[in-house]
Amino acid sequence: MSTSTVRAVGKSEPLSWSRTVERELVHRTSVAEVLLTDVRPTDTPHVFLAAASWPRAHATFPRDGSQRHSPLILVETLRQLGLYIPLRFYAVPEVFRAVITDLHFHLSPADELPARAGATEITCSARVSAVRRVPDESAVGLRLNVTFAACGVTFGRGGGGVRFLDGARFAALRARSAVHAVPARTPEGGYRPPAAQLTVNHPHDAVLALDQGELLVSPADPLHPFFFDHPTDHVPGMVLLEAARQAVSYRSRGRLSRPLFGRLKASRFTELTPPARVLCTRHGSTCAFRILQGGTETACGTFGYT
């Protein structure tokens, strides 16, 4: 279906928060993890309005005691938009594999509203750019920039890039790395820091282990309902982002736990084994991080705090 055909359907109808979008189009197995409730094209080409419902207390995302939503729920909404919009409006086949190349987010604390009793209704404005297509008009890559608002007040923004690969191209991209079935357990002799030191709600939310002074990506729960909602042959980007956040919190003894802005760039897949190392370096209110596996950098980024 072409973009122009879809744009003519229901564009004047108001956004709805009544039910979630199809879970398959945001790559979720559990409906409980679907945040998007509606996505509609606008009269402006490549611009979309979307509705998302943020639960008051997500089982995984910690808050800092101020009743504000975790920034990771914004990133997850961004991830779901980056999948749903191409699949629904840009003719990307559902069987294609999505590869997120980079992402960024920024929050304005003065404009954030506290989490509400039930759920917070979020309005998103998403602009698509840099669309790359193949001859049959299917999109194989694009960039997305999104603003996030609640009660008419814009409080955050984010964006990133995504590629879509057919089975053969994805297999070729994965061929350079070994494939493993389940996430690595805590390394022998390793130590799992207490949940409070990682600023997570529950020990099973930890995605780090400490081994001889090094912080390693090692999820406590290989069947975690959010991080591993569906089978994967590599460490998901959200796990890498959370591992970096936990690493900064641990190294700063909890003083830096809620980033207000962040960036992540993946240069290659991070495999499930051996456990990747997380390095973080603080520069005032900014912290740079790197993910290393077998001596090779797989991802890097920065977090900014107040």
Side-chain angles (χ1 to χ4, degrees), residues 239-267:
V239 174
L240 296 179
L241 195 68
E242 173 62 3
R245 189 203 65 80
Q246 290 183 20
V248 174
S249 182
Y250 179 80
R251 294 299 191 195
S252 69
R253 298 185 179 181
R255 288 187 291 272
L256 304 178
S257 61
R258 187 181 191 269
L260 295 179
F261 72 83
R263 289 184 176 274
L264 173 71
K265 180 177 178 60
S267 53

mmCIF file of all heavy atoms in Angstrom, residues 239-267:
data_model
loop_
_atom_site.group_PDB
_atom_site.id
_atom_site.type_symbol
_atom_site.label_atom_id
_atom_site.label_comp_id
_atom_site.label_asym_id
_atom_site.label_seq_id
_atom_site.Cartn_x
_atom_site.Cartn_y
_atom_site.Cartn_z
ATOM 1 N N VAL A 239 18.595 -3.362 26.066
ATOM 2 C CA VAL A 239 19.398 -3.954 27.132
ATOM 3 C C VAL A 239 20.739 -3.228 27.236
ATOM 4 O O VAL A 239 21.225 -2.940 28.340
ATOM 5 C CB VAL A 239 19.612 -5.459 26.877
ATOM 6 C CG1 VAL A 239 20.585 -6.043 27.905
ATOM 7 C CG2 VAL A 239 18.292 -6.208 26.940
ATOM 8 N N LEU A 240 21.342 -2.890 26.088
ATOM 9 C CA LEU A 240 22.609 -2.162 26.111
ATOM 10 C C LEU A 240 22.431 -0.789 26.757
ATOM 11 O O LEU A 240 23.267 -0.348 27.556
ATOM 12 C CB LEU A 240 23.144 -2.009 24.687
ATOM 13 C CG LEU A 240 23.508 -3.292 23.946
ATOM 14 C CD1 LEU A 240 23.995 -2.967 22.543
ATOM 15 C CD2 LEU A 240 24.566 -4.078 24.709
ATOM 16 N N LEU A 241 21.352 -0.102 26.406
ATOM 17 C CA LEU A 241 21.103 1.221 26.976
ATOM 18 C C LEU A 241 20.895 1.127 28.482
ATOM 19 O O LEU A 241 21.430 1.939 29.250
ATOM 20 C CB LEU A 241 19.887 1.845 26.297
ATOM 21 C CG LEU A 241 19.695 3.350 26.498
ATOM 22 C CD1 LEU A 241 20.791 4.129 25.784
ATOM 23 C CD2 LEU A 241 18.330 3.797 25.982
ATOM 24 N N GLU A 242 20.130 0.142 28.921
ATOM 25 C CA GLU A 242 19.885 -0.025 30.347
ATOM 26 C C GLU A 242 21.151 -0.480 31.066
ATOM 27 O O GLU A 242 21.403 -0.075 32.203
ATOM 28 C CB GLU A 242 18.746 -1.014 30.578
ATOM 29 C CG GLU A 242 18.492 -1.398 32.032
ATOM 30 C CD GLU A 242 18.089 -0.234 32.942
ATOM 31 O OE1 GLU A 242 17.934 0.914 32.454
ATOM 32 O OE2 GLU A 242 17.936 -0.476 34.150
ATOM 33 N N ALA A 243 21.966 -1.317 30.413
ATOM 34 C CA ALA A 243 23.235 -1.731 31.024
ATOM 35 C C ALA A 243 24.135 -0.524 31.255
ATOM 36 O O ALA A 243 24.777 -0.405 32.303
ATOM 37 C CB ALA A 243 23.935 -2.759 30.129
ATOM 38 N N ALA A 244 24.174 0.383 30.282
ATOM 39 C CA ALA A 244 24.983 1.592 30.438
ATOM 40 C C ALA A 244 24.421 2.464 31.556
ATOM 41 O O ALA A 244 25.176 3.024 32.369
ATOM 42 C CB ALA A 244 25.030 2.361 29.122
ATOM 43 N N ARG A 245 23.093 2.590 31.621
ATOM 44 C CA ARG A 245 22.483 3.398 32.689
ATOM 45 C C ARG A 245 22.795 2.815 34.059
ATOM 46 O O ARG A 245 23.161 3.537 35.000
ATOM 47 C CB ARG A 245 20.966 3.482 32.499
ATOM 48 C CG ARG A 245 20.283 4.485 33.432
ATOM 49 C CD ARG A 245 18.810 4.164 33.617
ATOM 50 N NE ARG A 245 18.585 2.900 34.297
ATOM 51 C CZ ARG A 245 18.675 2.737 35.624
ATOM 52 N NH1 ARG A 245 19.005 3.762 36.405
ATOM 53 N NH2 ARG A 245 18.448 1.555 36.165
ATOM 54 N N GLN A 246 22.674 1.481 34.177
ATOM 55 C CA GLN A 246 22.986 0.834 35.445
ATOM 56 C C GLN A 246 24.459 0.982 35.796
ATOM 57 O O GLN A 246 24.815 1.157 36.975
ATOM 58 C CB GLN A 246 22.589 -0.639 35.391
ATOM 59 C CG GLN A 246 21.082 -0.877 35.362
ATOM 60 C CD GLN A 246 20.713 -2.358 35.385
ATOM 61 O OE1 GLN A 246 21.507 -3.208 35.773
ATOM 62 N NE2 GLN A 246 19.481 -2.674 34.959
ATOM 63 N N ALA A 247 25.336 0.924 34.790
ATOM 64 C CA ALA A 247 26.771 1.061 35.041
ATOM 65 C C ALA A 247 27.100 2.444 35.591
ATOM 66 O O ALA A 247 27.871 2.588 36.548
ATOM 67 C CB ALA A 247 27.558 0.797 33.761
ATOM 68 N N VAL A 248 26.511 3.480 34.992
ATOM 69 C CA VAL A 248 26.752 4.845 35.477
ATOM 70 C C VAL A 248 26.223 4.994 36.899
ATOM 71 O O VAL A 248 26.875 5.589 37.766
ATOM 72 C CB VAL A 248 26.090 5.873 34.539
ATOM 73 C CG1 VAL A 248 26.212 7.279 35.126
ATOM 74 C CG2 VAL A 248 26.739 5.828 33.161
ATOM 75 N N SER A 249 25.045 4.450 37.174
ATOM 76 C CA SER A 249 24.474 4.536 38.512
ATOM 77 C C SER A 249 25.362 3.832 39.529
ATOM 78 O O SER A 249 25.619 4.350 40.620
ATOM 79 C CB SER A 249 23.069 3.928 38.527
ATOM 80 O OG SER A 249 22.487 4.040 39.802
ATOM 81 N N TYR A 250 25.862 2.657 39.152
ATOM 82 C CA TYR A 250 26.714 1.900 40.069
ATOM 83 C C TYR A 250 28.031 2.631 40.337
ATOM 84 O O TYR A 250 28.448 2.772 41.486
ATOM 85 C CB TYR A 250 26.998 0.508 39.482
ATOM 86 C CG TYR A 250 27.892 -0.341 40.355
ATOM 87 C CD1 TYR A 250 27.372 -1.010 41.465
ATOM 88 C CD2 TYR A 250 29.249 -0.470 40.071
ATOM 89 C CE1 TYR A 250 28.191 -1.787 42.275
ATOM 90 C CE2 TYR A 250 30.076 -1.242 40.879
ATOM 91 C CZ TYR A 250 29.547 -1.894 41.975
ATOM 92 O OH TYR A 250 30.358 -2.646 42.783
ATOM 93 N N ARG A 251 28.673 3.114 39.283
ATOM 94 C CA ARG A 251 29.962 3.782 39.446
ATOM 95 C C ARG A 251 29.828 5.104 40.196
ATOM 96 O O ARG A 251 30.764 5.543 40.863
ATOM 97 C CB ARG A 251 30.607 4.025 38.081
ATOM 98 C CG ARG A 251 31.003 2.772 37.311
ATOM 99 C CD ARG A 251 32.012 1.938 38.057
ATOM 100 N NE ARG A 251 32.571 0.888 37.202
ATOM 101 C CZ ARG A 251 33.251 -0.155 37.665
ATOM 102 N NH1 ARG A 251 33.455 -0.292 38.964
ATOM 103 N NH2 ARG A 251 33.741 -1.065 36.824
ATOM 104 N N SER A 252 28.665 5.763 40.082
ATOM 105 C CA SER A 252 28.461 7.040 40.761
ATOM 106 C C SER A 252 27.805 6.869 42.130
ATOM 107 O O SER A 252 27.432 7.858 42.757
ATOM 108 C CB SER A 252 27.607 7.974 39.893
ATOM 109 O OG SER A 252 26.279 7.494 39.803
ATOM 110 N N ARG A 253 27.624 5.611 42.565
ATOM 111 C CA ARG A 253 26.983 5.292 43.838
ATOM 112 C C ARG A 253 25.582 5.886 43.923
ATOM 113 O O ARG A 253 25.165 6.395 44.956
ATOM 114 C CB ARG A 253 27.855 5.766 45.002
ATOM 115 C CG ARG A 253 29.203 5.079 45.046
ATOM 116 C CD ARG A 253 29.994 5.462 46.266
ATOM 117 N NE ARG A 253 31.277 4.752 46.288
ATOM 118 C CZ ARG A 253 32.184 4.868 47.263
ATOM 119 N NH1 ARG A 253 31.932 5.659 48.302
ATOM 120 N NH2 ARG A 253 33.317 4.201 47.195
ATOM 121 N N GLY A 254 24.871 5.805 42.805
ATOM 122 C CA GLY A 254 23.479 6.211 42.762
ATOM 123 C C GLY A 254 23.239 7.684 42.526
ATOM 124 O O GLY A 254 22.086 8.110 42.384
ATOM 125 N N ARG A 255 24.300 8.488 42.449
ATOM 126 C CA ARG A 255 24.103 9.930 42.260
ATOM 127 C C ARG A 255 23.631 10.251 40.847
ATOM 128 O O ARG A 255 22.918 11.237 40.631
ATOM 129 C CB ARG A 255 25.396 10.687 42.578
ATOM 130 C CG ARG A 255 25.725 10.740 44.072
ATOM 131 C CD ARG A 255 26.912 11.641 44.344
ATOM 132 N NE ARG A 255 28.147 11.081 43.826
ATOM 133 C CZ ARG A 255 28.935 10.253 44.511
ATOM 134 N NH1 ARG A 255 28.609 9.897 45.743
ATOM 135 N NH2 ARG A 255 30.043 9.775 43.988
ATOM 136 N N LEU A 256 24.046 9.443 39.876
ATOM 137 C CA LEU A 256 23.625 9.638 38.486
ATOM 138 C C LEU A 256 22.803 8.418 38.085
ATOM 139 O O LEU A 256 23.342 7.393 37.685
ATOM 140 C CB LEU A 256 24.831 9.796 37.564
ATOM 141 C CG LEU A 256 25.818 10.915 37.902
ATOM 142 C CD1 LEU A 256 26.983 10.919 36.916
ATOM 143 C CD2 LEU A 256 25.122 12.261 37.915
ATOM 144 N N SER A 257 21.493 8.533 38.204
ATOM 145 C CA SER A 257 20.652 7.368 37.933
ATOM 146 C C SER A 257 19.583 7.633 36.884
ATOM 147 O O SER A 257 19.101 6.700 36.252
ATOM 148 C CB SER A 257 19.973 6.889 39.226
ATOM 149 O OG SER A 257 19.131 7.904 39.755
ATOM 150 N N ARG A 258 19.212 8.901 36.678
ATOM 151 C CA ARG A 258 18.141 9.230 35.739
ATOM 152 C C ARG A 258 18.665 10.216 34.697
ATOM 153 O O ARG A 258 18.640 11.423 34.913
ATOM 154 C CB ARG A 258 16.934 9.819 36.464
ATOM 155 C CG ARG A 258 15.716 10.032 35.553
ATOM 156 C CD ARG A 258 14.566 10.648 36.325
ATOM 157 N NE ARG A 258 13.330 10.621 35.547
ATOM 158 C CZ ARG A 258 12.931 11.609 34.735
ATOM 159 N NH1 ARG A 258 13.663 12.699 34.609
ATOM 160 N NH2 ARG A 258 11.796 11.491 34.066
ATOM 161 N N PRO A 259 19.117 9.718 33.562
ATOM 162 C CA PRO A 259 19.630 10.631 32.533
ATOM 163 C C PRO A 259 18.525 11.478 31.920
ATOM 164 O O PRO A 259 17.400 11.011 31.717
ATOM 165 C CB PRO A 259 20.232 9.681 31.495
ATOM 166 C CG PRO A 259 19.501 8.401 31.681
ATOM 167 C CD PRO A 259 19.185 8.321 33.150
ATOM 168 N N LEU A 260 18.854 12.733 31.627
ATOM 169 C CA LEU A 260 17.910 13.640 30.972
ATOM 170 C C LEU A 260 18.133 13.685 29.472
ATOM 171 O O LEU A 260 17.253 14.109 28.726
ATOM 172 C CB LEU A 260 18.036 15.046 31.561
ATOM 173 C CG LEU A 260 17.648 15.160 33.029
ATOM 174 C CD1 LEU A 260 17.827 16.596 33.518
ATOM 175 C CD2 LEU A 260 16.209 14.707 33.246
ATOM 176 N N PHE A 261 19.314 13.314 29.029
ATOM 177 C CA PHE A 261 19.507 13.115 27.600
ATOM 178 C C PHE A 261 20.495 11.978 27.389
ATOM 179 O O PHE A 261 21.271 11.632 28.285
ATOM 180 C CB PHE A 261 19.964 14.401 26.881
ATOM 181 C CG PHE A 261 21.388 14.818 27.162
ATOM 182 C CD1 PHE A 261 22.456 14.256 26.464
ATOM 183 C CD2 PHE A 261 21.664 15.798 28.100
ATOM 184 C CE1 PHE A 261 23.765 14.656 26.701
ATOM 185 C CE2 PHE A 261 22.969 16.212 28.347
ATOM 186 C CZ PHE A 261 24.019 15.642 27.652
ATOM 187 N N GLY A 262 20.421 11.380 26.225
ATOM 188 C CA GLY A 262 21.299 10.262 25.941
ATOM 189 C C GLY A 262 21.384 9.973 24.458
ATOM 190 O O GLY A 262 20.506 10.363 23.674
ATOM 191 N N ARG A 263 22.475 9.307 24.103
ATOM 192 C CA ARG A 263 22.695 8.859 22.735
ATOM 193 C C ARG A 263 23.287 7.457 22.760
ATOM 194 O O ARG A 263 24.067 7.121 23.646
ATOM 195 C CB ARG A 263 23.653 9.780 21.982
ATOM 196 C CG ARG A 263 23.074 11.139 21.637
ATOM 197 C CD ARG A 263 24.051 11.972 20.797
ATOM 198 N NE ARG A 263 23.448 13.232 20.398
ATOM 199 C CZ ARG A 263 22.692 13.404 19.323
ATOM 200 N NH1 ARG A 263 22.463 12.357 18.522
ATOM 201 N NH2 ARG A 263 22.173 14.570 19.036
ATOM 202 N N LEU A 264 22.898 6.653 21.781
ATOM 203 C CA LEU A 264 23.461 5.316 21.612
ATOM 204 C C LEU A 264 23.694 5.080 20.135
ATOM 205 O O LEU A 264 22.796 5.316 19.314
ATOM 206 C CB LEU A 264 22.506 4.240 22.157
ATOM 207 C CG LEU A 264 22.899 2.778 21.889
ATOM 208 C CD1 LEU A 264 24.104 2.388 22.733
ATOM 209 C CD2 LEU A 264 21.728 1.836 22.182
ATOM 210 N N LYS A 265 24.882 4.631 19.797
ATOM 211 C CA LYS A 265 25.201 4.277 18.409
ATOM 212 C C LYS A 265 25.779 2.871 18.404
ATOM 213 O O LYS A 265 26.738 2.581 19.125
ATOM 214 C CB LYS A 265 26.199 5.258 17.792
ATOM 215 C CG LYS A 265 26.559 4.928 16.341
ATOM 216 C CD LYS A 265 27.478 5.966 15.747
ATOM 217 C CE LYS A 265 27.883 5.612 14.324
ATOM 218 N NZ LYS A 265 26.732 5.502 13.426
ATOM 219 N N ALA A 266 25.181 1.998 17.604
ATOM 220 C CA ALA A 266 25.643 0.614 17.505
ATOM 221 C C ALA A 266 26.438 0.443 16.223
ATOM 222 O O ALA A 266 25.929 0.717 15.131
ATOM 223 C CB ALA A 266 24.458 -0.346 17.534
ATOM 224 N N SER A 267 27.682 0.007 16.353
ATOM 225 C CA SER A 267 28.523 -0.211 15.185
ATOM 226 C C SER A 267 28.457 -1.651 14.687
ATOM 227 O O SER A 267 28.792 -1.929 13.533
ATOM 228 C CB SER A 267 29.981 0.158 15.502
ATOM 229 O OG SER A 267 30.425 -0.522 16.667
#
